[in-house]
Amino acid sequence: MDYTKISEEKIIEWLKENLNEERYVHSLGTAACARELAAKFHLNEEKAYVAGLLHDCAKCLDKDKLMQIIKENIKDVDESELLNYKTLHAPVSAYYAKNIFGVTDEEILSAIRWHTLGKLEMTDFEKIIFIADKIEPNTRDREYSAIIRCYLDDENGLNEALLKCYRETIKSLVKRNLKICLLTVEIYNKLQDLVNVSVS
């Protein structure tokens, strides 16, 4: 089944033309990693690959352009999300996926939309795209990726790996004296409960 109105080859060409080299290489790595994780957890590999390719398609737009698109077209962006410009590309990438690349599959669009902050009650598909973005081999730290991959082999692997990602994010924010979004704390607490339930 086709999940976009243009071919994957054309998408890759577009990414190469519209992203910087590091972001382009990262997108290819995320797509491949997402497909790998989809196979591991018995999810749709083709959908995962498409989501991985497009998850950062708006990443190289400047802040003013991102804000303009959000203001004019996207209604579900919370005020707290606007505090950090590094997360603005996520809703815009989902918007581009739908309106430029013709993606209509809600699971793909939602995974792109929430791949930076995450959300409460994430689906397994959303979790693998979130994690693939953090551990793809092309641009991410290999030592960190290896740690996350170890968690993925556990019985409750997706939740444990996701919890580790949030734990490291929170540590990094505290170390840099940056604010922590309330949603991040809520997701972290929810994952702690999920992991602890599986252990008990």
Side-chain angles (χ1 to χ4, degrees), residues 125-153:
F125 187 83
E126 290 166 340
K127 290 173 185 177
I128 68 166
I129 302 306
F130 185 99
I131 292 170
D133 176 44
K134 306 297 184 291
I135 69 169
E136 60 84 12
N138 291 350
T139 64
R140 298 309 195 192
D141 181 82
R142 290 182 180 272
E143 183 177 344
Y144 173 80
S145 298
I147 293 170
I148 301 300
R149 284 183 176 277
C150 287
Y151 284 98
L152 288 169
D153 290 329

Side-chain angles (χ1 to χ4, degrees), residues 36-37 40-41 127-128 131 134-135 142-169 171 188 191-192 194-196 198-199:
E36 173 200 340
L37 294 180
K40 182 180 182 68
F41 292 99
K127 290 173 185 177
I128 68 166
I131 292 170
K134 306 297 184 291
I135 69 169
R142 290 182 180 272
E143 183 177 344
Y144 173 80
S145 298
I147 293 170
I148 301 300
R149 284 183 176 277
C150 287
Y151 284 98
L152 288 169
D153 290 329
D154 293 342
E155 183 177 348
N156 193 18
L158 273 178
N159 288 328
E160 291 186 11
L162 203 57
L163 177 60
K164 179 64 175 176
C165 288
Y166 276 93
R167 187 175 290 132
E168 294 306 313
T169 295
K171 283 182 184 177
Y188 173 80
L191 288 168
Q192 281 277 34
L194 290 173
V195 169
N196 288 337
S198 71
V199 171

Side-chain angles (χ1 to χ4, degrees), residues 66-92:
L66 291 169
M67 289 296 293
Q68 179 187 351
I69 293 171
I70 289 170
K71 184 177 179 180
E72 294 177 357
N73 303 285
I74 308 171
K75 306 304 179 188
D76 70 336
V77 179
D78 187 83
E79 284 297 321
S80 64
E81 205 171 348
L82 300 176
L83 296 175
N84 187 347
Y85 77 92
K86 290 187 177 182
T87 65
L88 297 180
H89 72 281
V92 179

Side-chain angles (χ1 to χ4, degrees), residues 108-126:
I108 294 175
L109 294 173
S110 184
I112 295 171
R113 169 68 180 87
W114 297 107
H115 81 271
T116 54
L117 284 178
K119 65 175 185 175
L120 293 168
E121 311 300 339
M122 291 172 74
T123 66
D124 284 354
F125 187 83
E126 290 166 340

